[in-house]
Amino acid sequence: VSRKIKDRVIEYVTLQVQANRMDVSVPVANADEIGIREVAEACLLIELTAMLTAESGPEETKWARRVKNQRIELATGDPVRIAAVVRDLVRRREGKGISLAEKDMLREGAEPLIAEIALAVDVPEEKALEVLETLVIEGSDDVLHRLGLLAAA
């Protein structure tokens, strides 16, 4: 979409926010600066699946350090690093339970992953959440086969 502003023609890309179907127009020239990228392609979904099904690393025993480290990882914006945090929080929730702060971090980290999965394999976000949690809990990509999503990914 092109718009003329003060005698300059500016190209815009229109994005639709899936959560509320709101349209947002962003100047194409600023896309890299604000972090716009394509929806996950197969290679990223394979990386996410590998991270979500991988074994968790050693867990920090001190809650404050663990939460701080997880916050740092979430702040990177890297989907694969976020997937590692989500994986560990889901497994901790299923095992020992998690604190309110960790529940908030889980929700914060899972939202973009769920949206990414939903868009990439064309399923509703509820189904994407089910897929994400099953990948983590089962530690296997069998859920993708069962739901016929492996071909889509």
Side-chain angles (χ1 to χ4, degrees):
V1 176
S2 298
R3 295 185 188 148
K4 189 172 182 178
I5 300 174
K6 294 186 179 180
D7 296 328
R8 285 184 30 207
V9 176
I10 300 175
E11 294 290 323
Y12 285 84
V13 62
T14 301
L15 308 171
Q16 186 179 61
V17 179
Q18 292 298 305
N20 58 14
R21 303 285 184 211
M22 179 176 69
D23 288 337
V24 178
S25 293
V26 178
V28 172
N30 295 3
D32 286 340
E33 181 181 325
I34 60 174
I36 295 176
R37 60 174 176 74
E38 295 288 328
V39 173
E41 294 179 1
C43 60
L44 178 57
L45 289 177
I46 290 167
E47 285 183 68
L48 289 177
T49 299
M51 184 57 72
L52 291 169
T53 58
E55 292 291 320
S56 295
E59 184 177 271
E60 172 62 60
T61 55
K62 296 190 187 249
W63 179 86
R65 280 194 189 138
R66 186 174 62 244
V67 168
K68 180 181 177 184
N69 291 339
Q70 289 169 330
R71 285 246 172 254
I72 290 169
E73 290 298 302
L74 289 178
T76 67
D78 178 353
V80 177
R81 290 171 71 175
I82 292 170
V85 172
V86 168
R87 175 200 64 209
D88 294 345
L89 287 170
V90 167
R91 288 183 180 156
R92 186 170 180 76
R93 181 192 69 198
E94 297 299 311
K96 302 174 186 176
I98 58 177
S99 69
L100 184 57
E102 290 170 312
K103 286 179 186 177
D104 289 342
M105 274 195 306
L106 177 55
R107 188 172 33 259
E108 177 186 330
E111 282 178 2
L113 296 179
I114 292 166
E116 200 79 46
I117 293 167
L119 288 169
V121 297
D122 195 28
V123 295
E125 288 193 2
E126 296 78 25
K127 179 61 79 178
L129 172 60
E130 177 186 329
V131 168
L132 184 144
E133 290 198 343
T134 305
L135 284 168
V136 172
I137 293 166
E138 290 182 2
S140 161
D141 67 0
D142 290 346
V143 67
L144 299 175
H145 294 284
R146 285 195 308 270
L147 296 173
L149 298 177
L150 202 58

